[in-house]
Amino acid sequence: MAKKKAKKQTRTFKLFIKAFWILFATGVFSVALVFLLASWGVFGEMPTFERLENPQTNLATEIISSDGKTLGKFFLDDNRTDVPYSDLPQNLVQALIATEDARYFEHSGIDARGTLRAVIFLGQRGGASTISQQLARQLFVGVRSKNLVEAVLQKVKEWVIATRLERNYTKEEIISMYLNIYDFNYNADGIRSAARIYFGKEPRDLKIEESAMLVGMLKNSSLYNPIRREELTLERRNTVLAQMAKYDYITDAERDSLTGLKMDINFNPENHREGLATYFRMYLQRWLKEWISKNPKPAREGERDTWNIYLDGLKVYTTIDSRMQGHAERAVQEHMKRLQQEFFVQNTPDRNPTTPFTDLESEEIRTIMDRAMKNSARWRAMSREGKSEEDIRASFNRQTEMTVFDWNAPTMEKDTVMPPLDSVRYYKTFLRAAMMSMEPQTGHVKAWVGGINYRHFQYDNVIQGARQAGSTFKPFIYAAAIDQLRRSPCDNLPDTQYCIEANKHGNPEPWCPKNSNGKYTGRSYTLKDALANSVNTVTAQLIDEVGPRPVVSIVKNLGLTGEILEVPSIALGTPDFNVYEMVGAYGAFANQGVYVKPVMVTRIEDRNGTVLYEYTPETKDVLSRDVAYAMVDLLKGVTEGGSGMRLRHTSAAENTVYKEIITGYPYEFTNAIAGKTGTTQNQSDGWFIGMVPNLVTGVWVGGEDRATHFKNILYGQGASMALPIWALYMKENYADPELDVSLEDFEQPEEMTIRVDCDKPVEEEEENQELEDDLEGLDF
């Protein structure tokens, strides 16, 4: 009986063992089958080998300055720029591993211990997703489904993809891919954007506590949001620091010290309307689109055949220097804020009932306002909606909540309520500005400021706007006279009324220009003094001598593309030009007569570093070296004894009026500076173009409409409106020795055939030239 019972127990045990192994084998087989089916794509599409090797992530186009800084990016939804593992700080990697995957370097994509723990404790003691699995979800699987079955299948897909990722990439590459793919909110896509937006620095410069905060956000960036939920995010950061101490990446003392620190957020949102060089970036956007239209993308299966500046991760290397750009923007803001205050004082309704317009009739003002209304974004938007003109016009007279520009507001914006038509007139009260700075030897544009505030004034006055050049055009008349007639800066001409008769030089009527003050001194001026003091009668005599045609020929060769009539009146700067072309033209004077077309982009690379574009300089020999130097000498006279003399004053006592109206005065420059101020009729435009040997900078200031201007020349001249911006900009440049902006004099040609030293008697200068010629013939 006992034997039978023993036999029965043995048989039962064997059946149990057999059943166990059958169930175990079935389980293993089922798991293997599930994995196999998942890898075959039965539970949903799986990435191919090619997609694993080249995962398609949208990358923003990065705009890089000449000094290696990121000026901005072009993106739609993904403001992402990849960072290689070598550029990630060790503390960031350590924080990530300590918090998300402590055994990261020990497994091959699936953490068996973590998975078993998660199953036994139902996730109460932590999840089991490895960094590789989280990357798989981000790249290929997507948001976790709320349906249990679908969620399980998604998890299986993650496991399969994670193991494949581990076979295709190194551990370091997976870490960098994961940090580059994550969305940290506020257009902070990827670790580089997150570091820049939340802390204003590159990832490699992150401190331990900053890295800990960003790693803490990986759990849920919407929940752990440092801008909206600071306390919650601080707690999460401290949890990460505790994990780092737990795994000995930092000491307990360091943990205690760091957890006591507040989060030092330096929030710098990145978008197309804010940040450095906004006007330049928008110009560059148009330039890139034109370049793309002429340069198709190499054909690849499954990819677009055209480049996309918002998705393809191009790197655009520019000539802009971020430091000089910052100096330029600060100079414009500092002066324009002060100049605008004075403009408001002079244009109160009791002083000027038609403010901001001067000397206009009611009908002329209605025409201006009607044109502005039809050009507005509101009018265009309502037209697209199918609204009638009557409805649109009515909307412009209804009280509306809006945010408008205000120099005195902390953010330069204020909320208000007014009819949109009043807002149109309000914006027309603001003076506009433009500035461009260029290295004349290379044509490299170093700074570009198209206006006073891109968010509210998007018209780029550097290259889109063309305004009368005024006296800044006069140097081209002098250049033609020196080049064609061998005139010298020391030649004398009288300041008397001068008329060019009718039908001469294409002039239908007699042309008798007056000086700006309407007076004639009767005295004789050297050409140098005449240009320094902008004597119109002398300029009229010169264009009569040389004729308009050679002048037009020279300026065309100097890159001025606008329409220029071959008539004498161009001598006083009646044609319209933009700052971009004027700076390029003046650059030839500083570059020994060689015109170099301004260039902004030096190289374009794709996301893999393949060079797609490299610029080739466009140059033209326009003037001889001695003519170019004679022009530089003439223009130096403007700052030595003419309208630019205020650059050299060393004390406000030299002119107390200047102290009141000129920002930053006195400037106390002592180095060689060549330049020219310009003021157009009624003070509608103020110009200053100033040069040192290795930098040419042009500034324009004026209203959107020519009828918006100062009433008197004291405030409305180029020396008051534009010159201070140049001076403030150059003062900051000189304060930074690394920029290497020249303090030396301009280089004089060894063989100078044009007399420029007006203090030296002609006979002595000729004798010196003969002696130099004789010495050249001797053999020492």
Side-chain angles (χ1 to χ4, degrees):
M1 202 58 188
K3 287 184 178 181
K4 284 184 179 180
K5 191 174 181 180
K7 269 187 172 183
K8 188 176 180 180
Q9 287 177 342
T10 301
R11 192 162 47 248
T12 302
F13 180 72
K14 287 182 177 180
L15 287 173
F16 174 78
I17 295 299
K18 184 177 182 182
F20 170 80
W21 284 111
I22 290 173
L23 285 172
F24 180 78
T26 301
V28 171
F29 176 76
S30 298
V31 170
L33 180 63
V34 167
F35 273 84
L36 188 61
L37 291 174
S39 67
W40 288 345
V42 173
F43 304 135
E45 184 182 1
M46 295 289 283
T48 62
F49 175 79
E50 288 75 15
R51 283 190 66 197
L52 282 172
E53 284 289 306
N54 298 284
Q56 292 299 306
T57 56
N58 295 332
L59 296 181
T61 286
E62 185 178 7
I63 307 162
I64 302 170
S65 69
S66 62
D67 55 320
K69 305 296 183 182
T70 297
L71 293 174
K73 301 176 187 176
F74 296 130
F75 60 92
L76 292 178
D77 298 319
D78 297 322
N79 177 23
R80 179 178 294 106
T81 303
D82 282 349
V83 179
Y85 183 84
S86 57
D87 285 349
L88 298 175
Q90 188 179 25
N91 60 55
L92 178 67
V93 175
Q94 291 171 345
L96 175 65
I97 292 172
T99 308
E100 298 292 329
D101 193 350
R103 288 177 290 279
Y104 176 69
F105 287 103
E106 299 171 15
H107 61 68
S108 299
I110 301 174
D111 183 2
R113 286 170 57 187
T115 302
L116 187 61
R117 182 195 63 222
V119 170
I120 293 174
F121 296 101
L122 300 178
Q124 295 301 310
R125 295 192 181 179
S129 288
T130 63
I131 293 173
S132 304
Q133 288 173 236
Q134 293 180 53
L135 176 61
R137 184 190 312 144
Q138 292 280 342
L139 286 175
F140 304 110
V141 179
V143 179
R144 178 77 73 240
S145 173
K146 294 182 180 180
N147 181 286
L148 180 61
V149 176
E150 290 181 358
V152 170
L153 294 178
Q154 283 182 324
K155 194 66 179 178
V156 172
K157 289 175 66 176
E158 283 178 22
W159 283 338
V160 174
I161 296 171
T163 57
R164 289 183 177 180
L165 288 171
E166 292 270 353
R167 287 199 300 268
N168 283 273
Y169 297 98
T170 66
K171 290 286 189 179
E172 291 76 12
E173 288 172 333
I174 289 173
I175 284 176
S176 63
M177 289 171 68
Y178 176 57
L179 291 172
N180 284 325
I181 199 70
Y182 194 80
D183 181 356
F184 291 86
N185 286 330
Y186 301 106
N187 289 327
D189 299 298
I191 192 63
R192 182 155 187 253
S193 293
R196 287 169 55 84
I197 288 173
Y198 290 114
F199 297 110
K201 58 180 64 175
E202 294 297 325
R204 62 177 172 270
D205 300 321
L206 290 171
K207 299 176 183 177
I208 296 175
E209 66 273 20
E210 293 167 343
S211 292
M213 191 206 83
L214 294 175
V215 167
M217 292 178 70
L218 294 171
K219 186 173 184 178
N220 185 333
S221 59
S222 296
L223 179 62
Y224 300 107
N225 182 326
I227 306 303
R228 299 180 62 184
R229 298 184 180 90
E230 184 175 351
E231 289 301 321
L232 190 62
T233 308
L234 181 63
E235 290 177 12
R236 178 62 184 164
R237 183 205 70 176
N238 291 343
T239 298
V240 174
L241 291 171
Q243 288 294 106
M244 294 181 73
K246 177 182 177 180
Y247 291 103
D248 296 326
Y249 291 121
I250 59 176
T251 65
D252 290 341
E254 286 176 310
R255 176 202 60 201
D256 295 340
S257 175
L258 293 171
T259 53
L261 297 176
K262 292 183 178 181
M263 291 191 301
D264 188 16
I265 301 297
N266 179 17
F267 192 52
N268 296 278
E270 291 186 351
N271 58 57
H272 303 311
R273 294 190 174 191
E274 294 178 305
L276 198 65
T278 45
Y279 287 94
F280 173 74
R281 285 189 273 137
M282 290 304 101
Y283 161 78
L284 185 60
Q285 185 181 58
R286 298 190 298 272
W287 187 93
L288 281 171
K289 288 181 177 179
E290 183 178 351
W291 177 82
I292 285 170
S293 69
K294 299 174 183 177
N295 295 271
K297 188 177 183 180
R300 286 184 180 178
E301 187 177 349
E303 292 188 8
R304 299 180 302 274
D305 59 358
T306 58
W307 295 105
N308 189 310
I309 63 173
Y310 307 108
L311 305 175
D312 285 336
L314 302 177
K315 289 188 181 295
V316 183
Y317 293 87
T318 72
T319 60
I320 298 293
D321 186 291
S322 68
R323 298 159 296 183
M324 297 173 78
Q325 180 68 30
H327 299 166
E329 293 185 9
R330 283 191 293 275
V332 169
Q333 289 190 4
E334 183 179 348
H335 177 62
M336 292 306 295
K337 180 179 180 179
R338 183 172 179 180
L339 190 68
Q340 189 67 50
Q341 288 174 343
E342 181 58 37
F343 187 79
F344 282 148
V345 169
Q346 295 186 23
N347 284 273
T348 55
D350 58 319
R351 291 188 175 188
N352 180 14
T354 61
T355 185
F357 311 109
T358 302
D359 301 327
L360 288 188
E361 300 295 331
S362 298
E363 187 58 38
E364 293 174 300
I365 294 174
R366 276 195 294 270
T367 299
I368 291 174
M369 295 298 295
D370 196 63
R371 183 172 59 247
M373 187 166 53
K374 290 181 177 179
N375 288 334
S376 69
R378 172 181 288 272
W379 187 287
R380 291 194 299 271
M382 294 185 73
S383 294
R384 286 194 297 269
E385 294 171 2
K387 303 291 185 181
S388 67
E389 182 172 332
E390 183 180 358
D391 289 340
I392 297 175
R393 287 184 179 276
S395 75
F396 272 84
N397 291 296
R398 284 194 290 268
Q399 293 287 340
T400 305
E401 293 183 358
M402 62 181 70
T403 301
V404 297
F405 178 75
D406 183 357
W407 274 119
N408 295 316
T411 60
M412 295 190 192
E413 289 183 332
K414 68 177 180 181
D415 295 328
T416 187
V417 177
M418 69 171 76
L421 188 59
D422 286 355
S423 74
V424 172
R425 191 160 188 153
Y426 171 76
Y427 274 96
K428 284 186 175 292
T429 64
F430 286 94
L431 297 172
R432 315 300 168 88
M435 175 182 182
M436 192 181 96
S437 192
M438 183 192 80
E439 188 177 78
Q441 290 75 24
T442 62
H444 287 193
V445 174
K446 294 299 179 181
W448 176 305
V449 185
I452 58 175
N453 182 284
Y454 183 78
R455 178 180 285 276
H456 292 275
F457 304 92
Q458 295 176 19
Y459 191 77
D460 188 346
N461 291 287
V462 167
I463 199 164
Q464 289 178 310
R467 297 293 286 261
Q468 283 189 347
S471 293
T472 56
F473 190 80
K474 287 179 181 176
F476 305 127
I477 314 300
Y478 283 70
I482 294 172
D483 183 58
Q484 299 291 311
L485 307 176
R486 308 312 289 175
R487 279 285 195 178
S488 159
C490 303
D491 289 350
N492 286 271
L493 287 174
D495 175 23
T496 56
Q497 186 174 28
Y498 189 85
C499 290
I500 298 177
E501 62 267 28
N503 301 317
K504 186 178 183 183
H505 304 311
N507 209 40
E509 297 178 357
W511 184 62
C512 307
K514 298 179 181 179
N515 289 325
S516 60
N517 60 5
K519 300 176 182 178
Y520 310 99
T521 64
R523 77 179 187 84
S524 181
Y525 278 91
T526 64
L527 296 192
K528 189 170 185 176
D529 288 341
L531 184 62
N533 292 281
S534 248
V535 182
N536 291 342
T537 56
V538 172
T539 310
Q541 293 172 65
L542 289 177
I543 199 167
D544 188 22
E545 289 181 7
V546 73
R549 180 166 294 179
V551 174
V552 173
S553 176
I554 282 178
V555 297
K556 290 294 184 182
N557 284 328
L558 291 174
L560 300 180
T561 60
E563 181 181 1
I564 310 173
L565 300 177
E566 294 181 2
V567 294
S569 61
I570 64 173
L572 302 188
T574 54
D576 290 355
F577 302 107
N578 58 39
V579 174
Y580 169 84
E581 291 186 348
M582 288 294 286
V583 171
Y586 268 64
F589 298 145
N591 192 35
Q592 301 180 337
V594 179
Y595 168 75
V596 182
K597 185 177 180 180
V599 61
M600 286 68 72
V601 178
T602 57
R603 189 170 81 255
I604 301 174
E605 296 177 357
D606 68 10
R607 65 171 68 189
N608 299 314
T610 303
V611 176
L612 306 176
Y613 165 85
E614 280 191 296
Y615 91 105
T616 302
E618 296 182 40
T619 65
K620 182 183 291 187
D621 291 338
V622 181
L623 303 169
S624 64
R625 294 183 65 186
D626 55 350
V627 171
Y629 183 79
M631 286 306 306
V632 167
D633 187 73
L634 279 169
L635 292 167
K636 283 167 64 177
V638 174
T639 69
E640 292 167 354
S643 56
M645 180 65 181
R646 60 192 70 182
L647 288 172
R648 303 199 177 281
H649 291 168
T650 58
S651 169
E654 295 188 47
N655 195 314
T656 55
V657 176
Y658 288 170
K659 181 66 176 177
E660 295 297 321
I661 66 174
I662 300 177
T663 312
Y665 179 85
Y667 303 118
E668 303 178 328
F669 288 105
T670 58
N671 57 300
I673 300 171
K676 186 71 187 79
T677 58
T679 310
T680 62
Q681 190 173 14
N682 297 325
Q683 299 81 239
S684 293
D685 307 276
W687 290 80
F688 182 70
I689 303 176
M691 304 184 293
V692 295
N694 64 354
L695 196 65
V696 180
T697 304
V699 182
W700 167 88
V701 174
E704 180 183 19
D705 303 282
R706 295 184 193 273
T708 302
H709 56 77
F710 283 103
K711 289 185 178 181
N712 62 67
I713 194 71
L714 180 64
Y715 289 92
Q717 62 181 298
S720 299
M721 292 209 295
L723 178 144
I725 293 176
W726 187 93
L728 293 169
Y729 168 67
M730 292 299 288
K731 291 287 277 189
E732 280 211 61
N733 286 342
Y734 284 129
D736 186 350
E738 289 186 4
L739 295 177
D740 196 28
V741 177
S742 178
L743 283 166
E744 288 74 39
D745 201 350
F746 294 84
E747 181 183 354
Q748 181 174 341
E750 293 182 4
E751 295 183 7
M752 193 70 194
T753 62
I754 300 169
R755 183 184 175 211
V756 293
D757 188 351
C758 303
D759 294 329
K760 185 185 295 184
V762 177
E763 296 80 4
E764 181 182 339
E765 186 162 297
E766 289 176 349
E767 288 175 3
N768 288 344
Q769 184 62 51
E770 289 176 5
L771 179 60
E772 289 177 8
D773 292 342
D774 291 341
L775 290 173
E776 283 183 6
L778 297 176
D779 185 5
F780 292 98

